[in-house]
Amino acid sequence: ECKIKIDDSYALEGIATVGAVTRHLSWSKYNSILWTHLTQFERHPDQERYLVSLICSIIDGFHFDVSAAPPENSANGDSSRNNAVCRALEKRFIPKIEGLLTKEKSGRGGKILRPSVALALLKLFQKLPIDVFEAKLHRLLTVICDALGSRDSTSRELARSTLAKMVMSMNLEYLADVVRELATSLTEGYKLHVRTATLHAILLELSASYKPPKYSDHLRSPFDKTVPGIVDLIQQDLFGTAQERRDAENSQVRFVKEAGGSKGAHSLELVARMICFSSATEETSRETPSSAHILVAPLLERLRSSETQSKAVKRTKECLSRVVAGLLKNP
């Protein structure tokens, strides 16, 4: 019933209370409450902000164990209930909630992402069996990357910050999936600059809390496994089509906010802060080169090449300086 701003705090407390209550409900009650509010959403568009928050609060309160879905023909009571929960999620709730991921943007057209719905869905997906989670994650990343490709800068900023928060809430093993999706979804024009800015935002968020594990002779950290893909995207930005667009006369790139600054070079510095150092022998390093080698080798190759132009040489030296700065801050 909240209609005026002075009632805002009451509405938010009400939302938090409902979320707390749902953590203690049986499945039948939880099922009923979530579905009721999902259907209310279409009836009360003027209350969108509160209804979105309420639905996300209820999703956060999902407390049923569905991490290992039981076989359909199980006679066990708990298994039967879990089957019912899994079926309801798959057939009713998840498709309905996925429909709320984006909304039509008023005025200029196009769609805009609802970040809170994306993050709530991710939490829900993480409680599902691993194979189901990975399939759902791929679809969720596709929606986020579609939003990153929007021509509206506000839509892109929302998608970028949402993706960075998603990476922080997932196991780092899935960072490779995020990098891969960025590489395949944002491949031309202004989207190349958006891709680099998004990768930079993720690395910036990650660097605030990530600590490299102690080196291992045999095992590579999930972050280090992703370094080749990250470095490839940064190299493409600094020495590929994106840089050519920035250097070109009468370029329209200045109209894309993400094209400004030296995000590619700073991304190299952030990677250098977070990589591990291995004590691999010369033989093993040929098979799986260290992250430090992966980071530096392409830059040294450019300096060795007689075909590298003076602008690229200058840019390469700046990148090496950034790598050094990052390594100095690497614990």
Side-chain angles (χ1 to χ4, degrees):
E1 299 173 356
C2 178
K3 299 290 183 183
I4 54 177
K5 193 164 182 66
I6 198 170
D7 291 338
D8 191 66
S9 59
Y10 294 109
L12 296 178
E13 285 299 324
I15 288 166
T17 304
V18 171
V21 169
T22 56
R23 287 170 166 78
H24 305 280
L25 295 179
S26 65
W27 168 245
S28 62
K29 297 292 185 185
Y30 182 95
N31 178 3
S32 174
I33 284 178
L34 180 53
W35 188 253
T36 296
H37 289 93
L38 284 170
T39 53
Q40 289 289 328
F41 188 86
E42 296 168 353
R43 298 174 191 169
H44 302 282
D46 56 321
Q47 297 294 82
E48 176 186 319
R49 177 192 167 200
Y50 299 113
L51 283 170
V52 165
S53 297
L54 183 57
I55 289 166
C56 291
S57 185
I58 296 170
I59 295 170
D60 286 346
F62 184 90
H63 59 278
F64 307 96
D65 183 11
V66 289
S67 57
E72 290 287 339
N73 59 359
S74 174
N76 181 281
D78 287 342
S79 297
S80 299
R81 186 196 65 186
N82 284 357
N83 277 328
V85 174
C86 291
R87 280 197 301 270
L89 287 175
E90 185 67 30
K91 302 295 184 184
R92 298 174 70 211
F93 291 115
I94 289 177
K96 189 79 171 175
I97 298 165
E98 285 178 333
L100 303 180
L101 269 171
T102 58
K103 64 176 179 178
E104 295 294 330
K105 187 173 175 61
S106 59
R108 299 174 63 180
K111 292 186 177 183
I112 190 167
L113 185 73
R114 290 189 175 103
S116 55
V117 177
L119 294 171
L121 262 179
L122 179 64
K123 281 186 185 178
L124 180 60
F125 293 163
Q126 286 173 315
K127 295 173 182 176
L128 299 172
I130 190 70
D131 56 328
V132 179
F133 164 71
E134 289 176 352
K136 299 290 186 188
L137 175 64
H138 176 70
R139 277 194 284 176
L140 186 56
L141 290 175
T142 301
V143 173
I144 304 288
C145 286
D146 282 345
L148 284 169
S150 169
R151 291 193 173 274
D152 180 67
S153 62
T154 303
S155 300
R156 298 199 301 269
E157 285 172 13
L158 279 175
R160 187 157 53 246
S161 62
T162 302
L163 189 57
K165 289 174 183 174
M166 286 173 60
V167 169
M168 295 301 293
S169 66
M170 290 190 294
N171 189 311
L172 268 184
E173 288 180 4
Y174 295 104
L175 178 59
D177 294 297
V178 174
V179 172
R180 194 178 303 115
E181 191 64 37
L182 289 173
T184 55
S185 299
L186 306 170
T187 57
E188 58 186 10
Y190 70 93
K191 295 178 184 179
L192 295 173
H193 306 294
V194 174
R195 182 174 74 184
T196 303
T198 304
L199 185 61
H200 179 257
I202 291 169
L203 292 170
L204 201 58
E205 189 84 19
L206 199 56
S207 67
S209 58
Y210 179 77
K211 301 295 181 190
K214 292 182 179 180
Y215 74 79
S216 169
D217 294 338
H218 308 292
L219 301 176
R220 302 180 76 188
S221 74
F223 178 79
D224 283 71
K225 290 178 181 176
T226 315
V227 167
I230 293 173
V231 170
D232 183 48
L233 291 188
I234 296 172
Q235 289 280 330
Q236 289 181 41
D237 174 71
L238 290 169
F239 303 101
T241 306
Q243 188 60 44
E244 290 174 6
R245 284 168 58 85
R246 282 191 286 262
D247 291 341
E249 292 183 16
N250 304 319
S251 174
Q252 299 295 310
V253 77
R254 63 182 179 276
F255 298 114
V256 182
K257 288 198 296 186
E258 291 87 346
S262 56
K263 296 181 179 68
H266 190 230
S267 294
L268 284 175
E269 180 179 334
L270 294 173
V271 173
R273 287 188 203 177
M274 295 186 282
I275 59 173
C276 288
F277 287 84
S278 67
S279 58
T281 64
E282 186 178 346
E283 289 182 4
T284 58
S285 66
R286 277 199 295 266
E287 296 173 7
T288 53
S290 69
S291 295
H293 179 86
I294 291 167
L295 199 56
V296 173
L299 299 171
L300 297 181
E301 285 299 319
R302 290 186 186 279
L303 290 182
R304 291 192 189 103
S305 173
S306 59
E307 297 178 2
T308 305
Q309 298 179 352
S310 57
K311 280 186 179 179
V313 169
K314 184 179 178 182
R315 198 176 306 121
T316 302
K317 289 180 177 179
E318 181 198 347
C319 290
L320 284 169
S321 297
R322 290 298 192 105
V323 170
V324 170
L327 294 178
L328 288 171
K329 296 176 184 175
N330 188 311

